[in-house]
Amino acid sequence: MHYLTCFYSLQISVRCLSEDVFRIVNEFLIDELELEESQIRPDADLRNDLEIESLDFVDIAVIIEKEFGFKVVGEEMINIKTLQDLYEYIFLRVKNN
């Protein structure tokens, strides 16, 4: 679903945005960090369950900037513990821009 088709109502556009966030993040985790699709759960702890390391967070920050058009603030990333936290962080930053 593309953003152009999502502007018919606010509810649809919010749903499309959240679907895009899930899709882009999940594809990145599977393709670039070589995680299994079965590991991708909203409650997955980024460090413990997904074994994402410091350099991986740099890659995540780069993909967020490229795909969503905002620069990740390091201090904000400290509070991101789970995959759901990451989805929400991206969604709120994009929605408020």
Side-chain angles (χ1 to χ4, degrees), residues 2-19:
H2 298 294
Y3 288 117
L4 293 177
T5 61
C6 296
F7 288 114
Y8 293 108
S9 78
L10 181 57
Q11 185 176 12
I12 292 173
S13 66
V14 168
R15 188 178 78 230
C16 290
L17 175 57
S18 63
E19 289 173 3

Side-chain angles (χ1 to χ4, degrees), residues 27-64:
E27 285 177 2
F28 172 78
L29 294 173
I30 292 167
D31 295 343
E32 300 301 322
L33 300 185
E34 299 179 351
L35 296 176
E36 297 296 324
E37 193 170 339
S38 62
Q39 294 176 277
I40 308 297
R41 301 177 333 270
D43 66 336
D45 184 279
L46 297 175
R47 288 179 179 83
N48 296 322
D49 297 333
L50 303 182
E51 300 177 359
I52 294 177
E53 300 173 352
S54 297
L55 289 177
D56 297 325
F57 280 105
V58 172
D59 292 338
I60 291 170
V62 169
I63 198 71
I64 289 171

